[in-house]
């Protein structure tokens, strides 16, 4: 495939810097071409893959060593990201006129006081979401909330039910790594702080239980 080829070294960069660097490189292509990004974290590979697919690009990844990957994002002539303006990335935001309700869950427990009670309340809250006439468009899980989308979570089946009805379930990859639970993610997709920030700022309503 013809076109410019750019290389990005994002090894050692914290989320969401690898995504932002790759987006800027895609913008510099002006359309047709390839960006190869080196990273040292498998969660970042997932984040870059998701970003590239959202932009309509072809994405491939290759493990080069114990802690090194190459992610290749190939753009065709139809892809356009303005250089220096990574906010142009698609986030599947609902069309104008539609409510874009985002639920941001930052803990396993709802409220403060008794954590055992708080966890029961959070599980009940997620179940209550399944019963609403208007479902949220996205559920963001970060910090302690990342546990809810993993194996063993009391809210897991309800989150799966919401996902089956088209609700996006997105869990912070940095948080999964921090808690050592990345291998137990059981519903939805891994996301990054850039995507989280973009979705929160684009929401018509943010709910924080």
């Amino acid at each position: 495939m013809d076109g410019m080829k750019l290389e990005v070294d994002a090894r050692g960069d914290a989320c969401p810097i690898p995504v932002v660097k790759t987006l800027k490189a895609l913008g510099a292509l002006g359309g047709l071409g390839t960006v190869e990004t080196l990273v040292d974290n498998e969660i970042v590979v997932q984040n870059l893959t998701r970003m590239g697919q959202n932009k309509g690009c072809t994405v491939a990844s290759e493990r080069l060593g114990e802690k090194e990957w190459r992610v290749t994002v190939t753009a065709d002539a139809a892809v356009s990201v303005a250089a220096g303006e990574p906010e142009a990335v698609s986030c599947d935001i609902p069309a104008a006129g539609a409510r874009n309700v985002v639920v941001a869950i930052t803990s396993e427990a709802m409220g403060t006081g008794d954590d055992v009670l708080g966890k029961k309340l959070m599980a009940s809250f997620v179940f209550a979401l399944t019963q609403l006439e208007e479902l949220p468009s996205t559920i963001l899980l970060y910090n302690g909330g990342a546990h809810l989308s993993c194996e063993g979570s009391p809210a897991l089946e309800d989150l799966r039910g919401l996902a089956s009805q088209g609700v996006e379930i997105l869990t912070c990859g940095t948080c999964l790594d921090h808690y050592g639970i990345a291998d137990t993610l059981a519903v939805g997709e891994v996301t990054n702080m850039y995507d989280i920030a973009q979705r929160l700022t684009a929401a018509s309503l943010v709910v924080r239980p």
Side-chain angles (χ1 to χ4, degrees):
M1 185 176 187
D2 295 329
M4 187 186 303
K5 176 179 175 181
L6 298 177
E7 296 182 356
V8 174
D9 189 348
R11 292 171 294 183
D13 290 338
C15 169
I17 295 173
V19 172
V20 173
K21 282 185 173 180
T22 304
L23 280 166
K24 287 184 177 181
L26 280 170
L29 291 177
L32 183 67
T34 298
V35 176
E36 292 186 350
T37 304
L38 294 176
V39 299
D40 55 9
N41 186 298
E42 193 167 8
I43 293 295
V44 177
V45 174
Q46 295 178 43
N47 284 332
L48 289 173
T49 299
R50 186 168 177 277
M51 178 277 294
Q53 291 173 344
N54 280 346
K55 291 303 297 174
C57 299
T58 301
V59 185
S61 60
E62 176 187 4
R63 187 166 192 159
L64 304 177
E66 184 178 353
K67 290 187 177 182
E68 185 173 345
W69 289 261
R70 178 190 294 116
V71 181
T72 303
V73 183
T74 302
D76 61 29
V79 176
S80 177
V81 182
E85 297 181 4
E87 62 270 21
V89 63
S90 168
C91 263
D92 303 321
I93 294 170
R99 284 231 307 174
N100 178 23
V101 179
V102 174
V103 177
I105 299 179
T106 64
S107 173
E108 291 182 87
M110 186 176 184
T112 58
D114 187 305
D115 283 346
V116 173
L117 173 61
K119 288 181 179 181
K120 290 180 180 179
L121 293 176
M122 185 61 80
S124 295
F125 172 78
V126 176
F127 169 73
L129 290 177
T130 70
Q131 304 302 303
L132 296 178
E133 185 174 338
E134 180 187 3
L135 297 178
S137 58
T138 304
I139 297 177
L140 299 173
L141 303 165
Y142 49 96
N143 208 325
H147 288 89
L148 295 180
S149 56
C150 294
E151 294 291 350
S153 163
L156 185 56
E157 290 309 311
D158 289 325
L159 287 174
R160 283 173 170 162
L162 288 164
S164 71
Q165 296 181 75
V167 178
E168 280 192 300
I169 312 296
L170 302 176
T171 305
C172 168
T174 299
C175 305
L176 291 169
D177 260 359
H178 175 79
Y179 290 113
I181 55 176
D183 292 340
T184 68
L185 183 67
V187 62
E189 299 181 50
V190 174
T191 191
N192 59 82
M193 195 50 63
Y194 180 85
D195 196 15
I196 289 172
Q198 191 173 46
R199 288 171 187 277
L200 289 174
T201 56
S204 54
L205 174 65
V206 175
V207 177
R208 294 183 174 91

